[in-house]
Amino acid sequence: MAKQAPTPKSLSLQLIRTITLALIVTLILGGVLIYWHAVQRIEAEMRAAIVVGSRIAHNALDDVDEISATRRRLELTVADFDDDRHLRASLRDPDNVVIRQSILQPPSAAVPEWLYELLAGKPKVVRLELPDAFHKFGTVVLETDSHNEVAEVWSDAKLYLLILTAFCGVVLLILWVALGRALRPLNDLTGAFAEIGAGRYDRRVDIGGPRELVELGSGFNAMSERLSEMEHRNRRLREQLETVQEEERAELARALHDEMSPLLLSVDVDATALRQQEETSRDPDVEKRAAAILDAVLKMKRNVKGILGQLRPSGLHALGLANSIENLVAFWKKRHPDIAFSVNVPPRSFGVRMDAAIQNIVREGIANAIRHASPRGIDISIDIESGNLLSVEIIDDGIGLAPTLTSGYGIIGMQERAALLGGTLEVIDRKDEHGVRVKAILPLDGAEYLSDSKSMEAGTSV
Ligand SMILES: Nc1ncnc2c1ncn2[C@@H]1O[C@H](COP(=O)(O)OP(=O)(O)OP(=O)(O)O)[C@@H](O)[C@H]1O
Ligand SMILES: [Mg+2]
């Protein structure tokens, strides 16, 4: 089984996704850099703290000769480190038992323990080398504690990450809006191409946006203009073709009517005269021949009339639209008395070309219903709709359209006739019940209608 190709993602979505990925990578890299910088900073701070602390303690305890209360001096030196941010000093007796310990300044903000583990290195411990006079009381030990520094670094890192995230968010937002704006003409173009595909060549697009889209829009408009022109030219050519055909048929009809009919009439008259003469001379053979000639002439007259009817579409000029449709219906009624026909056609003309097109559409519509759908009823109606439009409908209650239509020329022909008059025609399944609805919408061309009405009044029948 053929695999269905996945629906491609939209261009803006693809761009946004790629840029989001790039921003996430930037965020991760930023995070790593912030981490590395924080570790370095904590390490440097702790190293500096222990160096400075050692120097302070040494300075306080170095001039041993001037110290009278040695132990007291040791305790005071340790107390000097109270409220230090990074160092904890402790006085330990010779057995390393803590006698007194300085109190560290509490961190400005709580730091999660995992973060502390992650950032703080091992505490640095320095046991001070004190003059001998202090040995019996113990010694001073300085130890770094990076909680304060980690808290500081953490609040800085949070700020950096917040700024970085906000930056990424703003970039994405701006990108989303900018892309939406820039690509809007592309969406218009997509819709416009679909309309062109459906045959609406008068579609144009607004030209705007980036240069590439401006060029694309101009190209599209030039293409649709060209297509409109070609369609217009095609229509004119088809109209001319139809007119030429009509004229040729009319010429033929006139020739048949004007040249054949008098000849047939004269043969008819002569044969009648011959038969009458024969009645006096009583020659049965001549009488038989005269009767045969008269019979042949009658047939020829019928044939000529039939051909004339073919050449002048069903004697439309003579009968009028409503009558010729009634004739059409009568023709089918005679052959299918079981089908109920309903006809709603106004007793007027809509112009020669329009009347001819309507009649042909109705003829094919009825023929299709009877040939393909076995209907019990066929409704034919012609109505003037709002907006100067004429609606022609042939509705049957037959079996409806097959899922796949076999291609014939009837529907195409009907659609071409409608298109020639600037209208449309659709053949669709009925929504209310079984059957098919053929619906043509034809614009009423006032000028043609008027001129044709006049010519109708003048009478131009053959
Ligand atoms: N009223 C209808 N009910 C059911 N099917 C229809 C009806 N009208 C048309 N069809 C379907 O549409 C197809 C195409 O119709 P179309 O008139 O174009 O060709 P056709 O009637 O088969 O041949 P032709 O060229 O002689 O007219 C038909 O073969 C038929 O299957
Ligand atoms: Mg047909």
Side-chain angles (χ1 to χ4, degrees):
M1 209 168 66
K3 248 189 176 177
Q4 210 181 347
T7 325
K9 302 237 173 346
S10 82
L11 178 63
S12 61
L13 208 69
Q14 280 186 27
L15 277 172
I16 297 270
R17 211 173 55 172
T18 312
I19 289 166
T20 307
L21 260 174
L23 288 176
I24 289 173
V25 171
T26 310
L27 263 177
I28 291 172
L29 280 179
V32 171
L33 270 177
I34 288 173
Y35 167 77
W36 183 78
H37 179 71
V39 169
Q40 300 288 313
R41 179 173 146 184
I42 291 167
E43 175 66 21
E45 277 287 317
M46 294 306 107
R47 212 179 304 127
I50 204 125
V51 169
V52 172
S54 304
R55 198 176 309 135
I56 289 171
H58 272 299
N59 287 345
L61 298 170
D62 261 1
D63 46 353
V64 70
D65 299 339
E66 289 166 26
I67 299 170
S68 46
T70 325
R71 181 182 164 121
R72 176 92 184 116
R73 172 55 68 91
L74 278 175
E75 285 176 353
L76 282 176
T77 305
V78 168
D80 277 347
F81 283 93
D82 278 347
D83 266 346
D84 195 284
R85 294 183 62 240
H86 302 320
L87 277 185
R88 188 181 293 111
S90 55
L91 176 61
R92 300 184 187 207
D93 68 9
D95 297 328
N96 206 27
V97 176
V98 175
I99 303 165
R100 172 127 175 40
Q101 185 168 274
S102 67
I103 300 159
L104 204 73
Q105 196 182 89
S108 53
V111 178
E113 204 46 41
W114 61 266
L115 189 72
Y116 180 75
E117 298 285 330
L118 198 71
L119 293 174
K122 271 197 173 161
K124 299 184 190 325
V125 181
V126 167
R127 186 177 284 270
L128 295 182
E129 292 293 327
L130 298 180
D132 295 343
F134 294 107
H135 280 176
K136 63 177 175 213
F137 301 113
T139 188
V140 174
V141 173
L142 297 177
E143 187 186 353
T144 58
D145 185 314
S146 48
H147 273 96
N148 264 300
E149 192 61 25
V150 170
E152 219 171 90
V153 162
W154 176 227
S155 87
D156 284 356
K158 274 197 296 193
L159 189 66
Y160 295 151
L161 282 174
L162 195 75
I163 291 173
L164 209 59
T165 315
F167 168 76
C168 294
V170 170
V171 166
L172 278 180
L173 195 74
I174 291 175
L175 200 75
W176 178 260
V177 173
L179 272 178
R181 281 221 185 127
L183 296 182
R184 198 170 304 141
L186 212 56
N187 293 340
D188 284 354
L189 263 176
T190 315
F193 269 114
E195 285 189 36
I196 288 277
R200 287 188 286 280
Y201 302 134
D202 54 345
R203 180 70 156 90
R204 302 286 181 276
V205 290
D206 294 335
I207 294 176
R211 184 167 52 82
E212 290 82 351
L213 290 183
V214 168
E215 284 171 8
L216 205 60
S218 317
F220 176 89
N221 283 350
M223 177 193 76
S224 57
E225 231 160 75
R226 185 106 183 84
L227 282 173
S228 308
E229 261 173 38
M230 278 163 59
E231 199 213 10
H232 196 67
R233 207 177 305 154
N234 261 350
R235 189 179 295 178
R236 263 211 329 264
L237 280 175
R238 278 189 301 201
E239 278 174 16
Q240 279 170 0
L241 197 68
E242 274 226 338
T243 315
V244 170
Q245 278 178 347
E246 288 288 324
E247 278 169 5
E248 271 183 359
R249 284 160 165 243
E251 186 55 45
L252 265 173
R254 268 195 299 276
L256 257 180
H257 182 264
D258 298 351
E259 287 167 28
M260 289 295 289
S261 300
L263 290 178
L264 285 175
L265 186 65
S266 69
V267 175
D268 192 13
V269 170
D270 288 347
T272 312
L274 205 64
R275 199 164 59 177
Q276 280 165 357
Q277 259 182 25
E278 204 34 52
E279 275 167 11
T280 47
S281 70
R282 298 192 181 277
D283 181 341
D285 196 36
V286 175
E287 190 194 341
K288 240 179 15 205
R289 280 166 195 261
I293 292 172
L294 279 173
D295 193 40
V297 167
L298 193 69
K299 280 184 186 145
M300 278 201 259
K301 272 184 180 166
R302 271 200 211 122
N303 278 343
V304 167
K305 206 171 171 195
I307 295 170
L308 282 175
Q310 292 284 322
L311 293 172
R312 298 274 198 201
S314 300
L316 248 182
H317 281 273
L319 290 175
L321 179 67
N323 281 339
S324 57
I325 288 182
E326 283 294 353
N327 278 358
L328 205 63
V329 169
F331 171 87
W332 284 111
K333 259 186 187 164
K334 215 151 100 191
R335 285 154 185 83
H336 294 273
D338 49 321
I339 299 178
F341 284 88
S342 109
V343 182
N344 165 30
V345 178
R348 56 184 286 187
S349 164
F350 296 99
V352 176
R353 287 181 57 216
M354 187 80 104
D355 283 356
I358 294 172
Q359 204 208 12
N360 282 315
I361 288 170
V362 171
R363 181 191 292 131
E364 177 63 19
I366 298 177
N368 270 356
I370 291 174
R371 274 178 63 196
H372 305 297
S374 318
R376 278 174 299 147
I378 300 177
D379 297 347
I380 299 133
S381 62
I382 298 175
D383 294 298
I384 296 178
E385 293 197 343
S386 59
N388 217 22
L389 295 175
L390 192 69
S391 137
V392 180
E393 282 187 305
I394 305 104
I395 303 172
D396 68 64
D397 60 357
I399 56 168
L401 293 171
T404 45
L405 294 187
T406 40
S407 58
Y409 294 102
I411 293 178
I412 295 172
M414 287 196 283
Q415 284 172 335
E416 277 177 358
R417 281 180 191 284
L420 272 173
L421 294 167
T424 57
L425 180 139
E426 56 178 14
V427 180
I428 47 169
D429 271 321
R430 283 170 69 180
K431 291 192 181 75
D432 45 351
E433 48 183 287
H434 284 294
V436 164
R437 173 190 301 268
V438 177
K439 178 161 183 153
I441 296 287
L442 309 171
L444 281 166
D445 184 342
E448 189 196 355
Y449 170 59
L450 262 180
S451 63
D452 285 337
S453 303
K454 274 184 200 147
S455 70
M456 285 289 295
E457 278 160 26
T460 49
S461 62
V462 177

